[in-house]
Amino acid sequence: MAHEILSVKLDQLDDRLGRLHACIHMSETASHTRLQQEIASLKQKCAEEDEILKKNLYHSKAQIVSVLSQNYDQIERTIHEADVQIRTAETACQDHESLVEEKILLAEYSLDFAQRAAERALLISLEAIDAQLIWEQKEGKDL
């Protein structure tokens, strides 16, 4: 069962990464107006997806999910604080070329963080599959 659930989630991740990749490629030729539309659309979609995830976490009956929910709230606060600090630094920056380079560097690190999160999810997935295999083996021996 773990394989099926995780395969569905992986397919969803593949789809979203494909859209991310396509959006970055589109941005290479997009106008400022088009990019602003994409940014606004993505901000709205992110807010909606965040709300859905929060609701799912809140309504889950699994005890472990309450731990995730609390930590997710903490992570959201940390991200918001970092965003405020970054925006403040951007406002104070007088050199537009340096600002652009710093934004690109921030984007690179954000993608690095996403990669680390995906690798961490893989580790957790493999541990869950292993736990299921151990449980199935134990159940088989107990019968």
Side-chain angles (χ1 to χ4, degrees):
M1 177 146 145
H3 290 91
E4 293 84 15
I5 294 168
L6 298 175
S7 289
V8 168
K9 286 295 181 184
L10 190 54
D11 287 344
Q12 290 173 348
L13 180 60
D14 279 342
D15 181 54
R16 289 180 181 190
L17 287 176
R19 282 186 270 151
L20 180 137
H21 198 75
C23 187
I24 289 174
H25 278 299
M26 174 277 305
S27 71
E28 293 172 358
T29 58
S31 67
H32 172 69
T33 302
R34 177 71 175 127
L35 284 173
Q36 289 299 305
Q37 291 170 343
E38 283 293 320
I39 291 167
S41 175
L42 189 55
K43 282 182 179 180
Q44 181 179 349
K45 183 173 174 97
C46 285
E48 291 169 0
E49 294 287 333
D50 286 345
E51 282 303 311
I52 290 169
L53 181 56
K54 279 191 236 181
K55 286 179 183 176
N56 288 344
L57 287 169
Y58 179 77
H59 292 296
S60 176
K61 293 182 180 11
Q63 186 176 9
I64 192 76
V65 175
S66 68
V67 173
L68 291 174
S69 182
Q70 291 169 359
N71 284 292
Y72 184 78
D73 290 342
Q74 181 180 352
I75 290 167
E76 270 195 322
R77 285 190 300 276
T78 301
I79 290 171
H80 176 72
E81 289 170 12
D83 191 45
V84 168
Q85 291 172 359
I86 290 166
R87 302 264 181 236
T88 301
E90 287 175 355
T91 304
C93 184
Q94 299 295 319
D95 181 5
H96 293 294
E97 184 177 351
S98 292
L99 179 61
V100 169
E101 289 175 8
E102 288 178 4
K103 283 186 171 245
I104 292 169
L105 184 62
L106 180 62
E108 287 181 50
Y109 274 112
S110 295
L111 290 169
D112 288 340
F113 295 156
Q115 180 180 343
R116 295 296 307 132
E119 289 167 352
R120 176 61 71 179
L122 172 61
L123 176 60
I124 293 168
S125 297
L126 292 176
E127 290 173 344
I129 292 167
D130 189 47
Q132 182 181 11
L133 287 172
I134 291 169
W135 177 75
E136 287 172 353
Q137 287 173 354
K138 184 178 183 238
E139 288 293 307
K141 290 179 183 175
D142 289 346
L143 295 176

